[in-house]
Structure formats: C-alpha cells, structure tokens
C-alpha cells in the first residue's frame, strides 16, 4: 500500500516540475457540483486549464469549444449559462462581433444556493 501512495506523490511532483501550469479545484467546488450538469463541470475544467493563471481569463470562442467537445454551440452556451448562474464565470464582450472573454470567478460556500436545510 505504501508504494501506491508513493506512486501518486511522485506523479504529483513530476507534474508540478513540468512547469506546464495546472488548474486547482478547491474544496468548496464539491458543494457547487450538485447544481451543475456533467457538461458544465467539464466545461469549467476546460476553461480552467486554458485560463491565464493570473487573471483567470479565457478567450476561446464558443465554436472552438464546441469542436473540442463535439457539441453544438447552443449546448456550450447552455453550459456557460449554468456556470454564470452560480457565479463561477463572468463573460464580457469588449467588441461587437468579437470573441467574448470569459473570466473565472473566485468561489466559496457563499456562492452556493440553499440546500433546503442540508449541511454544506
């Protein structure tokens, strides 16, 4: 069992030292997942992996994202809407007919809708 733990630890160190960047998903995200479709969760991870690590900005077009996932732009828009409704992202279009910029937003248990009396 100890060798399995070392394998995981070694893998994490190796990934870190590759210096290719990474996207942290913090513990509070587990409370938000129950309000998101599997597609929206996948999109959030995609956005995180493609975001600027200092600003959280991503400017991939809906078309580019749709091609990646093999889905329609309408589906990607619906997933974006789910993420916006939970304040996980903010989208802004700075120029008419140009790609919208998507910004990852800080999240915490404050973003979480009521659990109908359930513990967070």
């Amino acid at each position: 069992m100890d060798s399995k733990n070392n394998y995981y630890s070694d893998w994490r160190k190796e990934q870190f030292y590759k210096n290719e960047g990474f996207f942290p998903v913090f513990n509070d995200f587990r409370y938000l997942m129950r309000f998101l479709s599997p597609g929206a969760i996948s999109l959030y991870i995609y956005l995180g992996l493609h975001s600027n690590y200092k600003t959280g900005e991503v400017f991939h077009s809906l078309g580019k994202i749709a091609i990646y996932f093999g889905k329609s732009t309408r589906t990607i828009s619906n997933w974006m809407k789910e993420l916006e409704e939970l304040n996980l992202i903010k989208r802004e279009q700075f120029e008419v007919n140009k790609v919208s910029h998507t910004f990852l937003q800080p999240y915490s248990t404050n973003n979480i809708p009521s659990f109908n009396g359930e513990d967070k």
Side-chain angles (χ1 to χ4, degrees):
M1 185 150 121
D2 190 37
S3 65
K4 288 182 183 180
N5 290 339
N6 288 339
Y7 177 73
Y8 182 77
S9 176
D10 292 346
W11 171 77
R12 283 187 52 158
K13 286 177 189 173
E14 178 185 322
Q15 295 303 310
F16 179 77
Y17 289 117
K18 280 184 179 179
N19 201 25
E20 293 178 356
F22 59 93
F23 170 61
V25 177
F26 297 104
N27 199 38
D28 284 344
F29 190 75
R30 69 185 168 137
Y31 302 114
L32 295 162
M33 289 188 333
R34 68 170 66 180
F35 299 103
L36 295 168
S37 68
I41 294 169
S42 294
L43 176 59
Y44 185 72
I45 293 168
Y46 172 93
L47 294 171
L49 292 172
H50 290 92
S51 67
N52 177 300
Y53 77 98
K54 290 184 180 179
T55 64
E57 181 179 17
V58 184
F59 42 102
H60 287 197
S61 70
L62 291 178
K64 181 175 183 169
I65 298 169
I67 289 168
Y68 176 82
F69 282 105
K71 302 290 184 186
S72 70
T73 55
R74 172 173 250 165
T75 296
I76 302 304
S77 292
N78 289 335
W79 293 349
M80 289 277 194
K81 184 177 177 184
E82 287 182 56
L83 297 173
E84 285 180 291
E85 287 173 353
L86 285 180
N87 299 316
L88 290 168
I89 64 169
K90 181 178 180 182
R91 300 192 74 220
E92 294 185 26
Q93 190 167 7
F94 298 115
E95 298 179 50
V96 178
N97 296 324
K98 297 289 182 178
V99 173
S100 291
H101 294 240
T102 303
F103 296 89
L104 299 177
Q105 300 295 294
Y107 58 85
S108 71
T109 54
N110 295 333
N111 296 57
I112 301 169
S114 169
F115 283 113
N116 298 322
E118 292 181 41
D119 286 11
K120 291 183 183 179

